[in-house]
Amino acid sequence: SKTIIADTSVTSTESKKPFNLLQQLNLTSEQQRQIRRIHHKYRQKIRQKKSSLNLLQNQLSDMMVGTEKVELIRAKNEQLLALRQEIEKLRFESMLATREILTIQQRMKFREIMESQLAQ
């Protein structure tokens, strides 16, 4: 369940939510600057992959109602699954990079906040 807690924090990287969350950790201005840079870097990569994902989903959907061979449909689905995994890896890497900037106390506080939010 620790993975789920960690994953939730990065899932909404596109919104301002994680930053509001991070503000509760009493980050130094240097930590804030580094974390913004990390989030910006990964947000761009994730966005690109998501647009490719949407394209693949549409192609797969078209193939499902068309006359494509089953093997081709399976291959398209494998592409889709691989891309989803790449997106998850990017989210995880973003989380790890952010973790490196936080002190042990900040990491513990972050987990407490995430657990209390999940409990609501």
Side-chain angles (χ1 to χ4, degrees):
S1 83
K2 294 286 180 262
T3 309
I4 294 166
I5 290 166
D7 193 33
T8 312
S9 68
V10 184
T11 305
S12 58
T13 304
E14 286 78 19
S15 73
K16 295 276 182 253
K17 193 178 173 193
F19 232 89
N20 296 339
L21 181 88
L22 290 169
Q23 283 170 347
Q24 297 177 55
L25 301 178
N26 298 322
L27 300 171
T28 65
S29 54
E30 179 58 21
Q31 283 178 312
Q32 288 179 32
R33 194 178 60 73
Q34 289 176 312
I35 290 171
R36 271 196 195 94
R37 199 167 48 221
I38 289 164
H39 285 202
H40 178 72
K41 173 186 162 188
Y42 283 97
R43 190 180 312 130
Q44 300 299 95
K45 291 180 180 181
I46 290 170
R47 251 189 216 138
Q48 290 168 351
K49 301 264 183 208
K50 278 186 167 182
S51 71
S52 300
L53 187 70
N54 289 337
L55 182 65
L56 277 176
Q57 284 172 324
N58 290 337
Q59 289 172 350
L60 182 61
S61 180
D62 290 346
M63 291 170 86
M64 290 297 283
V65 298
T67 57
E68 298 284 353
K69 291 186 176 174
V70 172
E71 294 79 22
L72 291 175
I73 297 172
R74 280 201 179 104
K76 185 62 70 176
N77 190 54
E78 288 301 316
Q79 278 183 286
L80 197 67
L81 293 173
L83 194 53
R84 280 192 183 126
Q85 193 171 19
E86 286 175 38
I87 291 169
E88 288 309 310
K89 280 183 184 172
L90 284 170
R91 287 178 172 153
F92 185 72
E93 289 303 320
S94 171
M95 189 174 59
L96 280 182
T98 302
R99 173 186 179 267
E100 290 307 301
I101 290 164
L102 301 177
T103 65
I104 298 292
Q105 291 80 5
Q106 287 169 330
R107 290 178 196 174
M108 289 166 65
K109 175 79 172 156
F110 182 79
R111 185 171 73 184
E112 283 172 31
I113 294 166
M114 288 308 300
E115 284 175 348
S116 71
Q117 284 188 357
L118 287 176
Q120 289 172 2

